[in-house]
Every structure is written in structure tokens, then in C-alpha cells.
Amino acid sequence: MKSPSSTPRSREISSEAIPRLNQRTLAAQSANIDSVSGATYTSAGYRQSLQSALDRAGV
């Protein structure tokens, strides 16, 4: 997954949000996960990318 990295702030948010989103995904075993506070756009993009990958895999 490619995360936002166009600015230092985007990199900071992504570096904190992506590991949390990964943990939530593994715990939920689905794309139905909560957003990370302060990372709304990153969380939404993550969920969309995850669901797309699951759809392509036929899961």
C-alpha cells in the first residue's frame, strides 16, 4: 500500500496511522475497521484500498 508522503506532516500521520490500521485489520479480519483519530483521509484511503484488494482476491 502506498501511503501519503507529499509533506512531512503526511509522512508523520501515515507513520502513526498505518501500523494502527494494520492491527485493526488483523483483529477484525475484514475491511470494516474504525478510523484512526487525526488520520481521517489516510484511514478512508486505507479501507478503500483494502476492500479493493479483498474484492480482487474474491474474499
Side-chain angles (χ1 to χ4, degrees):
M1 183 180 119
K2 186 175 180 181
S3 60
S5 61
S6 59
T7 66
R9 182 68 179 139
S10 292
R11 287 188 293 275
E12 179 183 355
I13 291 170
S14 293
S15 71
E16 294 177 22
I18 299 298
R20 289 183 188 177
L21 292 165
N22 287 339
Q23 289 174 341
R24 291 176 184 184
T25 298
L26 291 173
Q29 291 293 298
S30 76
N32 187 20
I33 57 174
D34 291 330
S35 295
V36 172
S37 180
T40 304
Y41 294 122
T42 300
S43 297
Y46 182 95
R47 278 193 309 273
Q48 184 178 15
S49 294
L50 176 58
Q51 188 60 59
S52 177
L54 292 171
D55 291 346
R56 282 191 308 253
V59 177

